[in-house]
Amino acid sequence: MLYEHPATAVRPREQDTAGGATAVAHPNIALIKYWGKRDERLFLPRTPSLSLTLDIFPTTTRVELAPGAGQDEVTFNGVPATGEALRRISAFLDLVRERAGSGERAVVDTRNTVPTGAGLASSASGFAALAVAAASAYGLGYDATALSRLARRGSGSASRSLFGGFAQWNAGVDTGSDEEADLSSHAEPVPAADLDPALVIAVVNAGPKDVSSRTAMRRTVDTSPLYEPWAASSLDDLTVMRSALLRGDLASVGEIAERNALGMHATMLAARPAVRYLAPASLTVLDAVLQLRRDGVLAYATMDAGPNVKVLCRRADAEQVAEAVRAAAQGGAVHIAGPGPGARLLDEAG
Ligand code: PMV
């Protein structure tokens, strides 16, 4: 049986609520990682990536046009944004305004339920929700593919949160034309058999990271002698994982995800200077995952730009995995996630 992707209920143009709109998006965790850009301005990745959208930690964002205002006003969980965070969101809104032919500033209210900046994909749910709400508020009338392309310009991984379940972000073509590259680099749903997957998330440290993923990626691509071999192997990992997903072969999906993530961290460790996101407690959790496998439980780890570890397993084993990981996570919180829906607009009533 093929896994049914929850519908992405993005409304067509005529129903766009020009003026103000609210959207919700969930984070996604990459099983084949995005690590490295080939074009920093257009956010074009070096390699395609593949992720699972989660059903926990949603971001809800309201964008309201503010006629006559001199600048955008942004709040995160009720706290006014300043500095780099405000600049990033304003630059993203500039792109939306340029496409809409509008000069109107906006009031943006974002509610995040995930710790920001801790390698838990808050930028993915954040820019996916912002893209959907802003495109609607400015009346762009985009479909899910166009919204995925737009979200990519805020944060590459956000392109995948437009879709529920498993999604692949295509690197896009290289014909020498910026327009063709931009048009072809978006996410799309990935067919999968019913794997009944869960991701157990061990929060080793919920604080913000020292080095942003943007800086770390750039340094890795520019200086790491391991980068090119990893990028080449990642293409193979993607092909093999897609057929494992179709077969419903969770053990293969997990093995490929774990080696792809460890390879990505190896590229960073070999960067000059090295970027190291993993903490001692991350390795203790990796040991617990190995022990689970020795005990016959299908459990595989993946890590992003932070010390937290996400463990792919069967839903039926998730409680057992969570217990093993909790003991290793040295007091950190442990969450269980399943496959979640794509980003969508909320009705004014709800
Ligand atoms: O798009 P960003 O800047 O959040 O980069 C995400 C990079 C990783 O989380 C490490 C990998 C991925 O594909 O999500």
Side-chain angles (χ1 to χ4, degrees), residues 9 21 23 25 37 50 56 59 63 70 81 94 104 145 182 191 217 237 294 323:
K37 294 180 183 65
L50 190 156
I56 60 172
T59 297
V63 175
D94 285 343
E104 280 182 26
T145 302
D182 175 51
M217 267 180 214
D237 284 348
R294 283 193 202 106
E323 201 176 312

Side-chain angles (χ1 to χ4, degrees), residues 296-312:
V297 179
L298 296 184
Y300 302 88
T302 185
M303 293 83 60
D304 294 289
N308 305 316
V309 182
K310 297 96 183 184
V311 185
L312 180 68

Side-chain angles (χ1 to χ4, degrees), residues 38-44 99 149 152-153 171-185:
R38 68 178 196 282
D39 184 317
E40 295 226 351
R41 187 180 60 88
L42 293 175
F43 283 74
L44 296 172
R99 294 176 182 197
R149 269 186 218 114
R152 188 194 85 221
R153 302 287 293 273
V173 297
D174 255 328
T175 57
S177 146
D178 277 358
E179 195 189 346
E180 283 174 27
D182 175 51
L183 281 175
S184 55
S185 187

